[in-house]
Coordinates of all heavy atoms in Angstrom, one line a residue:
M1 N 24.0 -68.4 70.8 CA 22.6 -67.7 70.8 C 23.1 -66.3 70.0 O 24.1 -65.7 70.4 CB 22.1 -67.5 72.0 CG 20.8 -66.8 72.0 SD 20.0 -67.1 73.5 CE 18.5 -66.1 73.2
A2 N 22.3 -65.8 69.3 CA 22.5 -64.4 68.6 C 22.4 -63.3 69.6 O 21.6 -63.4 70.5 CB 21.5 -64.4 67.4
D3 N 23.1 -62.3 69.3 CA 23.0 -61.1 70.1 C 21.6 -60.5 69.9 O 21.3 -60.3 68.8 CB 24.1 -60.2 69.8 CG 25.4 -60.7 70.2 OD1 25.5 -61.5 71.2 OD2 26.5 -60.4 69.5
P4 N 21.0 -59.9 71.0 CA 19.8 -59.1 70.7 C 20.1 -57.8 69.9 O 21.1 -57.2 70.2 CB 19.2 -59.0 72.1 CG 20.5 -59.0 73.0 CD 21.3 -60.0 72.3
I5 N 19.0 -57.4 69.2 CA 19.2 -56.2 68.4 C 18.3 -55.1 68.9 O 17.1 -55.4 69.3 CB 19.0 -56.3 66.9 CG1 17.7 -57.1 66.6 CG2 20.2 -57.2 66.3 CD1 17.4 -57.1 65.2
N6 N 18.7 -53.9 68.9 CA 17.9 -52.9 69.4 C 17.1 -52.3 68.2 O 17.6 -51.8 67.3 CB 18.8 -51.8 70.0 CG 18.0 -50.7 70.7 OD1 16.8 -50.5 70.3 ND2 18.6 -50.0 71.6
L7 N 15.8 -52.6 68.3 CA 14.9 -52.2 67.2 C 14.8 -50.8 67.0 O 14.7 -50.3 65.9 CB 13.5 -52.8 67.3 CG 13.5 -54.4 67.3 CD1 12.2 -54.8 67.6 CD2 14.1 -54.8 66.0
N8 N 14.8 -49.9 68.0 CA 14.8 -48.5 67.9 C 16.0 -48.0 67.2 O 15.9 -47.1 66.4 CB 14.7 -47.9 69.4 CG 13.3 -47.9 70.0 OD1 12.4 -48.1 69.3 ND2 13.3 -48.1 71.3
R9 N 17.2 -48.5 67.5 CA 18.5 -48.1 66.9 C 18.4 -48.5 65.4 O 18.7 -47.6 64.5 CB 19.7 -48.9 67.5 CG 20.9 -48.3 67.0 CD 22.1 -49.1 67.7 NE 22.2 -48.6 69.1 CZ 22.8 -49.2 70.0 NH1 23.5 -50.2 69.6 NH2 22.8 -48.8 71.3
F10 N 17.8 -49.6 65.1 CA 17.6 -50.1 63.7 C 16.7 -49.2 62.9 O 16.9 -48.7 61.9 CB 17.1 -51.5 63.5 CG 16.8 -52.0 62.2 CD1 18.0 -52.4 61.4 CD2 15.6 -52.1 61.6 CE1 17.8 -52.9 60.2 CE2 15.5 -52.5 60.4 CZ 16.5 -53.0 59.6
R11 N 15.6 -48.9 63.5 CA 14.5 -47.9 62.9 C 15.1 -46.6 62.8 O 15.0 -46.0 61.7 CB 13.3 -47.7 63.9 CG 12.2 -47.0 63.4 CD 11.2 -46.9 64.3 NE 11.5 -46.5 65.8 CZ 11.9 -45.3 66.2 NH1 11.7 -44.3 65.4 NH2 12.2 -45.1 67.5
K12 N 15.9 -46.0 63.6 CA 16.4 -44.7 63.5 C 17.5 -44.7 62.3 O 17.7 -43.8 61.6 CB 17.1 -44.3 64.8 CG 16.0 -43.8 65.8 CD 16.6 -43.3 67.1 CE 15.4 -42.9 68.1 NZ 16.1 -42.5 69.3
A13 N 18.3 -45.8 62.4 CA 19.3 -45.9 61.2 C 18.6 -46.0 59.9 O 19.1 -45.3 59.0 CB 20.2 -47.1 61.4
K14 N 17.6 -46.6 59.8 CA 16.8 -46.7 58.5 C 16.3 -45.3 58.2 O 16.3 -44.9 56.9 CB 15.7 -47.8 58.8 CG 15.0 -48.0 57.4 CD 14.0 -49.1 57.6 CE 13.1 -49.3 56.4 NZ 12.1 -50.2 56.5
A15 N 15.8 -44.6 59.1 CA 15.1 -43.3 58.9 C 16.3 -42.4 58.4 O 16.1 -41.5 57.5 CB 14.4 -42.7 60.0
R16 N 17.5 -42.4 59.0 CA 18.6 -41.6 58.7 C 19.0 -42.0 57.2 O 19.3 -41.0 56.4 CB 19.8 -41.8 59.6 CG 19.7 -40.9 61.0 CD 21.0 -40.9 61.7 NE 21.4 -42.3 62.0 CZ 21.1 -42.9 63.2 NH1 20.4 -42.2 64.1 NH2 21.6 -44.0 63.4
K17 N 19.1 -43.2 56.8 CA 19.5 -43.5 55.5 C 18.5 -43.0 54.5 O 18.9 -42.5 53.4 CB 19.7 -45.0 55.5 CG 20.0 -45.6 54.1 CD 20.0 -47.1 54.1 CE 20.5 -47.5 52.6 NZ 20.3 -48.9 52.5
Q18 N 17.3 -43.1 54.8 CA 16.2 -42.6 54.0 C 16.3 -41.1 53.7 O 16.3 -40.5 52.6 CB 14.8 -43.1 54.4 CG 13.8 -42.6 53.5 CD 13.7 -43.2 52.0 OE1 14.1 -44.4 51.9 NE2 13.4 -42.5 51.1
A19 N 16.5 -40.4 54.8 CA 16.6 -39.0 54.8 C 17.8 -38.6 54.0 O 17.8 -37.6 53.2 CB 16.8 -38.4 56.3
R20 N 18.9 -39.3 54.1 CA 20.1 -39.0 53.4 C 20.0 -39.1 51.9 O 20.4 -38.4 51.1 CB 21.3 -39.8 53.9 CG 22.6 -39.4 53.3 CD 23.8 -40.3 54.0 NE 23.6 -40.5 55.4 CZ 23.5 -41.7 56.0 NH1 23.5 -42.8 55.3 NH2 23.4 -41.9 57.3
E21 N 19.2 -40.4 51.6 CA 18.8 -40.5 50.1 C 18.0 -39.4 49.5 O 18.3 -39.0 48.4 CB 18.2 -41.9 49.9 CG 19.2 -43.0 50.2 CD 18.6 -44.3 50.2 OE1 17.3 -44.4 50.0 OE2 19.2 -45.4 50.3
D22 N 17.0 -39.0 50.3 CA 16.1 -37.9 49.8 C 16.9 -36.7 49.7 O 16.6 -35.9 48.8 CB 15.0 -37.7 50.9 CG 13.9 -38.8 50.9 OD1 14.1 -39.7 49.9 OD2 13.2 -38.9 51.9
A23 N 17.8 -36.4 50.6 CA 18.6 -35.1 50.5 C 19.5 -35.1 49.2 O 19.6 -34.1 48.4 CB 19.4 -35.0 51.7
D24 N 20.1 -36.3 48.9 CA 20.9 -36.5 47.7 C 19.9 -36.2 46.5 O 20.4 -35.5 45.4 CB 21.6 -37.8 47.8 CG 22.7 -37.8 48.7 OD1 23.1 -36.8 49.3 OD2 23.1 -39.1 49.0
R25 N 18.9 -36.8 46.5 CA 17.9 -36.7 45.2 C 17.5 -35.2 45.1 O 17.6 -34.7 43.9 CB 16.7 -37.6 45.5 CG 15.8 -37.8 44.2 CD 14.8 -38.7 44.5 NE 15.0 -40.0 45.1 CZ 14.7 -40.3 46.3 NH1 14.0 -39.5 47.1 NH2 15.1 -41.4 46.7
N26 N 17.2 -34.6 46.2 CA 16.7 -33.1 46.1 C 17.9 -32.3 45.7 O 17.6 -31.4 44.9 CB 16.3 -32.7 47.4 CG 14.7 -33.3 47.6 OD1 14.0 -33.7 46.7 ND2 14.3 -33.4 48.8
S27 N 19.1 -32.6 46.1 CA 20.2 -31.7 45.8 C 20.4 -31.8 44.3 O 20.9 -30.9 43.5 CB 21.5 -32.1 46.5 OG 22.0 -33.3 46.1
V28 N 20.2 -32.9 43.7 CA 20.3 -33.2 42.2 C 19.3 -32.4 41.5 O 19.5 -31.7 40.5 CB 20.4 -34.6 41.9 CG1 20.3 -34.7 40.4 CG2 21.6 -35.3 42.3
L29 N 18.0 -32.6 42.0 CA 16.8 -32.0 41.3 C 16.8 -30.6 41.4 O 16.5 -29.8 40.6 CB 15.5 -32.5 41.9 CG 15.1 -34.0 41.5 CD1 14.0 -34.5 42.3 CD2 15.0 -34.2 40.1
Y30 N 17.0 -29.9 42.6 CA 16.8 -28.5 43.0 C 18.1 -27.7 43.1 O 18.1 -26.5 43.4 CB 15.8 -28.4 44.2 CG 14.6 -29.1 43.9 CD1 14.3 -30.2 44.8 CD2 13.8 -28.7 43.0 CE1 13.1 -30.9 44.6 CE2 12.5 -29.5 42.9 CZ 12.2 -30.4 43.7 OH 11.0 -31.2 43.4
G31 N 19.2 -28.4 43.1 CA 20.5 -27.7 43.4 C 21.2 -27.1 42.2 O 22.3 -26.5 42.4
L32 N 20.6 -27.1 41.1 CA 21.3 -26.5 39.9 C 20.9 -25.0 39.9 O 19.8 -24.6 40.1 CB 20.8 -27.2 38.6 CG 21.1 -28.7 38.5 CD1 20.5 -29.1 37.1 CD2 22.6 -28.8 38.4
P33 N 21.9 -24.2 39.3 CA 21.6 -22.8 39.1 C 20.7 -22.6 38.0 O 20.4 -23.5 37.2 CB 23.0 -22.2 38.8 CG 23.9 -23.2 39.1 CD 23.3 -24.6 39.1
K34 N 19.9 -21.4 38.0 CA 19.0 -21.2 36.9 C 19.5 -21.2 35.5 O 18.9 -21.8 34.6 CB 18.4 -19.8 37.2 CG 17.2 -19.5 36.3 CD 16.6 -18.1 36.8 CE 15.4 -17.9 35.7 NZ 14.7 -16.8 36.0
A35 N 20.8 -20.8 35.3 CA 21.4 -20.9 34.0 C 21.5 -22.3 33.5 O 21.3 -22.6 32.4 CB 22.7 -20.1 34.0
K36 N 21.9 -23.2 34.4 CA 22.1 -24.6 34.1 C 20.8 -25.3 33.7 O 20.7 -26.1 32.9 CB 22.9 -25.4 35.1 CG 24.3 -25.0 35.1 CD 25.1 -25.8 36.0 CE 26.6 -25.5 35.9 NZ 27.4 -26.5 36.7
K37 N 19.7 -24.9 34.6 CA 18.3 -25.4 34.4 C 17.9 -25.0 33.0 O 17.4 -25.8 32.3 CB 17.5 -25.0 35.4 CG 17.7 -25.7 36.8 CD 16.6 -25.2 37.7 CE 16.9 -25.4 39.2 NZ 16.0 -24.8 40.1
T38 N 18.1 -23.7 32.7 CA 17.6 -23.2 31.3 C 18.4 -23.9 30.2 O 17.7 -24.3 29.3 CB 17.8 -21.7 31.4 OG1 17.2 -21.0 32.6 CG2 17.3 -21.1 30.1
R39 N 19.6 -24.0 30.4 CA 20.5 -24.6 29.2 C 20.0 -26.2 29.1 O 19.9 -26.6 28.0 CB 21.9 -24.6 29.7 CG 22.8 -25.2 28.6 CD 24.3 -25.1 28.9 NE 24.7 -23.7 29.4 CZ 25.5 -23.6 30.5 NH1 26.0 -24.7 31.0 NH2 25.8 -22.3 30.9
A40 N 19.8 -26.9 30.3 CA 19.4 -28.2 30.1 C 18.0 -28.3 29.4 O 17.6 -29.2 28.7 CB 19.3 -28.9 31.6
R41 N 17.1 -27.5 29.8 CA 15.8 -27.5 29.3 C 15.8 -27.1 27.8 O 15.1 -27.8 27.0 CB 14.9 -26.5 30.1 CG 13.5 -26.5 29.5 CD 12.6 -25.6 30.5 NE 12.6 -26.0 31.8 CZ 12.9 -25.0 32.8 NH1 13.4 -23.8 32.5 NH2 13.1 -25.5 34.0
A42 N 16.7 -26.1 27.4 CA 16.9 -25.9 26.0 C 17.4 -27.0 25.1 O 16.9 -27.3 24.0 CB 17.7 -24.6 25.8
E43 N 18.4 -27.7 25.8 CA 19.0 -28.8 25.2 C 18.0 -29.9 24.9 O 17.9 -30.7 23.7 CB 20.1 -29.3 25.9 CG 20.9 -30.6 25.4 CD 21.7 -30.2 24.1 OE1 21.9 -29.1 23.7 OE2 22.1 -31.2 23.3
A44 N 17.1 -30.3 25.9 CA 16.1 -31.3 25.8 C 15.1 -30.9 24.7 O 14.6 -31.8 23.9 CB 15.4 -31.5 27.1
E45 N 14.7 -29.6 24.6 CA 13.8 -29.2 23.6 C 14.4 -29.3 22.1 O 13.7 -29.8 21.3 CB 13.4 -27.8 23.7 CG 12.5 -27.6 25.0 CD 12.2 -26.2 25.4 OE1 12.6 -25.2 24.6 OE2 11.4 -26.0 26.2
R46 N 15.8 -29.0 22.1 CA 16.4 -29.2 20.7 C 16.4 -30.6 20.3 O 16.2 -31.0 19.2 CB 17.9 -28.6 20.9 CG 18.6 -28.6 19.7 CD 20.1 -28.2 19.8 NE 20.8 -29.2 20.5 CZ 21.4 -30.2 19.9 NH1 21.2 -30.5 18.5 NH2 22.0 -31.1 20.6
I47 N 16.7 -31.5 21.3 CA 16.8 -32.9 21.0 C 15.4 -33.5 20.5 O 15.3 -34.1 19.7 CB 17.4 -33.8 22.2 CG1 18.9 -33.4 22.3 CG2 17.1 -35.2 21.9 CD1 19.4 -34.0 23.5
A48 N 14.4 -32.9 21.2 CA 13.1 -33.3 20.9 C 12.7 -32.9 19.4 O 12.0 -33.7 18.8 CB 12.0 -32.8 21.9
R49 N 13.0 -31.6 19.1 CA 12.7 -31.1 17.9 C 13.4 -31.9 16.7 O 12.9 -32.2 15.7 CB 13.1 -29.7 17.7 CG 12.1 -28.6 18.3 CD 12.4 -27.3 17.9 NE 13.8 -26.8 18.1 CZ 14.3 -26.3 19.1 NH1 13.6 -26.0 20.1 NH2 15.7 -26.1 19.1
L50 N 14.7 -32.2 17.1 CA 15.5 -33.0 16.0 C 14.9 -34.4 15.8 O 14.7 -34.9 14.6 CB 16.9 -33.2 16.5 CG 17.8 -32.0 16.3 CD1 19.2 -32.2 16.9 CD2 18.0 -31.7 14.8
H51 N 14.4 -35.0 17.0 CA 13.7 -36.2 16.8 C 12.5 -36.2 16.1 O 12.1 -37.0 15.2 CB 13.6 -36.8 18.2 CG 12.9 -38.2 18.3 ND1 13.6 -39.3 17.9 CD2 11.6 -38.6 18.6 CE1 12.7 -40.3 18.1 NE2 11.6 -39.9 18.5
E52 N 11.6 -35.2 16.3 CA 10.4 -35.1 15.7 C 10.6 -34.7 14.2 O 9.8 -35.1 13.4 CB 9.7 -33.9 16.4 CG 8.2 -33.9 15.9 CD 7.3 -35.1 16.4 OE1 7.6 -35.7 17.4 OE2 6.3 -35.2 15.6
G53 N 11.6 -34.1 14.0 CA 11.9 -33.7 12.6 C 12.4 -34.8 11.7 O 12.3 -34.8 10.5
G54 N 12.8 -35.8 12.3 CA 13.3 -37.0 11.6 C 12.1 -37.9 11.2 O 12.4 -39.0 10.5
R55 N 11.0 -37.7 11.6 CA 9.9 -38.6 11.3 C 9.4 -38.4 9.8 O 9.5 -37.4 9.3 CB 8.6 -38.3 12.2 CG 8.8 -38.5 13.7 CD 7.5 -38.3 14.4 NE 7.6 -38.5 15.7 CZ 7.3 -39.8 16.3 NH1 6.8 -40.6 15.6 NH2 7.4 -39.8 17.6
R56 N 9.0 -39.6 9.2 CA 8.7 -39.5 7.9 C 7.1 -39.1 7.8 O 6.4 -39.3 8.8 CB 8.7 -41.0 7.3 CG 10.0 -41.4 7.1 CD 10.2 -42.6 6.3 NE 9.2 -43.7 6.7 CZ 9.3 -44.8 6.2 NH1 10.0 -45.2 5.4 NH2 8.3 -45.7 6.6
E57 N 6.8 -38.4 6.8 CA 5.4 -37.9 6.7 C 4.8 -38.6 5.6 O 4.6 -37.9 4.4 CB 5.4 -36.4 6.5 CG 6.1 -35.6 7.6 CD 5.6 -34.4 7.8 OE1 4.6 -33.9 7.2 OE2 6.2 -33.5 8.6
D58 N 4.6 -39.9 5.7 CA 3.9 -40.7 4.5 C 2.5 -40.8 4.6 O 1.8 -41.3 3.8 CB 4.5 -42.1 4.5 CG 4.4 -42.8 5.7 OD1 3.8 -42.2 6.7 OD2 4.8 -44.0 5.8
G59 N 1.8 -40.1 5.6 CA 0.4 -40.2 5.8 C -0.1 -41.4 6.5 O -1.3 -41.2 6.9
S60 N 0.5 -42.3 6.7 CA -0.1 -43.5 7.4 C 0.3 -43.4 8.9 O 1.5 -43.2 9.3 CB 0.3 -44.8 6.8 OG 1.7 -45.1 7.0
E61 N -0.7 -43.6 9.8 CA -0.4 -43.6 11.1 C 0.0 -45.0 11.8 O 0.5 -45.0 12.8 CB -1.5 -42.9 11.9 CG -1.9 -41.6 11.5 CD -0.7 -40.7 12.1 OE1 -0.2 -40.9 13.2 OE2 -0.4 -39.6 11.5
S62 N -0.4 -46.0 11.0 CA -0.2 -47.3 11.6 C 1.0 -47.9 11.0 O 1.6 -47.5 10.2 CB -1.4 -48.2 11.3 OG -1.5 -48.4 9.9
D63 N 1.4 -49.1 11.6 CA 2.5 -49.9 11.2 C 2.2 -50.9 10.1 O 3.1 -51.7 9.8 CB 3.1 -50.6 12.4 CG 3.8 -49.6 13.4 OD1 4.1 -48.5 12.8 OD2 4.0 -50.0 14.5
E64 N 0.9 -51.0 9.6 CA 0.5 -52.0 8.5 C 1.3 -51.6 7.3 O 1.4 -50.5 7.0 CB -0.9 -52.0 8.4 CG -1.7 -52.3 9.6 CD -3.1 -52.2 9.5 OE1 -3.7 -52.3 8.3 OE2 -3.7 -52.3 10.4
T65 N 1.6 -52.5 6.4 CA 2.3 -52.4 5.2 C 1.4 -52.0 4.0 O 1.8 -51.5 3.0 CB 3.2 -53.6 4.9 OG1 2.4 -54.7 4.8 CG2 4.3 -53.8 6.0
G66 N 0.1 -52.5 4.1 CA -0.8 -52.2 3.2 C -0.7 -53.1 2.0 O -1.1 -52.7 0.7
D67 N -0.3 -54.3 2.2 CA -0.2 -55.2 1.0 C -1.5 -55.7 0.4 O -2.5 -55.8 0.8 CB 0.5 -56.5 1.5 CG 1.9 -56.2 1.7 OD1 2.5 -55.5 0.9 OD2 2.6 -56.8 2.7

């Protein structure tokens, strides 16, 4: 016969695991210094400008070939 499990212990362990995951996620999101956040934002904007600058300006908005 299987050993009985304590549901309260299981529930608390699950809550601790979730809290630990939330803390790790928040440390990544909010744990950066202002200078690094600013640098990352500027880099993302630079990449977006380069990507947007690479678009062709042929006047057609659709993917149709116009045959």
Side-chain angles (χ1 to χ4, degrees):
M1 184 165 179
D3 292 329
I5 55 174
N6 187 336
L7 295 178
N8 284 332
R9 187 177 296 165
F10 178 77
R11 179 183 49 83
K12 288 180 182 181
K14 184 178 176 182
R16 278 193 298 270
K17 181 181 175 187
Q18 183 65 39
R20 196 174 314 119
E21 289 172 359
D22 291 344
D24 290 342
R25 189 178 313 110
N26 286 337
S27 68
V28 169
L29 289 174
Y30 303 112
L32 295 176
K34 187 174 182 179
K36 286 189 179 183
K37 286 181 192 177
T38 305
R39 186 179 312 134
R41 190 175 298 121
E43 180 69 14
E45 289 173 2
R46 184 185 71 82
I47 291 171
R49 279 194 313 269
L50 284 174
H51 180 71
E52 191 66 30
R55 291 187 181 265
R56 293 192 312 185
E57 301 209 10
D58 59 356
S60 66
E61 292 292 325
S62 65
D63 291 335
E64 297 177 19
T65 58
D67 288 324

